Amino acid sequence: MFFGQLRYIVVIPIPKSTELKTKEPQIVCLAVIRQVRAILPNAQGMPPIPFYSQSGALDPADIKSIQCVVGCIEDQGNWGLVDRSGPLAHAVFAEAD
């Protein structure tokens, strides 16, 4: 699992172009995400909630790669990540016909 903070959504219109070999105009949506270094729960007595206290670099990603949105709760300088999405939030990649 990877966690991050959504900072920006960037929309890039791409016109029809023979140079780019695009037959129709397209729109590309990128999410700019700040990485967070999460401490994941394990069997050695860690709390059942992932926590983070540090953030990292900004990364652009295809907006389609975002699987779900989580909430954050502050606890003594650390942030608990609350994921209520359940098992149906996992991405499934299938080849196009």
Side-chain angles (χ1 to χ4, degrees):
M1 277 192 271
F2 298 97
F3 294 100
Q5 180 186 40
L6 178 64
R7 301 295 296 175
Y8 308 101
I9 295 175
V10 180
V11 179
I12 304 169
I14 300 174
K16 176 181 167 182
S17 168
T18 54
E19 187 175 78
L20 296 174
K21 298 180 183 174
T22 56
K23 295 180 181 178
E24 299 291 328
Q26 299 177 6
I27 295 177
V28 175
C29 291
L30 298 176
V32 179
I33 299 170
R34 180 162 310 277
Q35 300 172 8
V36 297
R37 295 180 185 96
I39 300 166
L40 301 176
N42 59 27
Q44 284 80 29
M46 295 286 291
I49 299 172
F51 276 88
Y52 78 93
S53 60
Q54 294 180 328
S55 58
L58 290 175
D59 281 327
D62 186 334
I63 202 158
K64 294 176 188 175
S65 69
I66 297 174
Q67 293 184 11
C68 66
V69 178
V70 298
C72 298
I73 300 172
E74 185 178 13
D75 180 28
Q76 300 175 0
N78 292 314
W79 288 89
L81 299 166
V82 182
D83 180 359
R84 303 268 315 194
S85 59
L88 299 177
H90 300 285
V92 176
F93 296 96
E95 290 187 32
D97 293 332

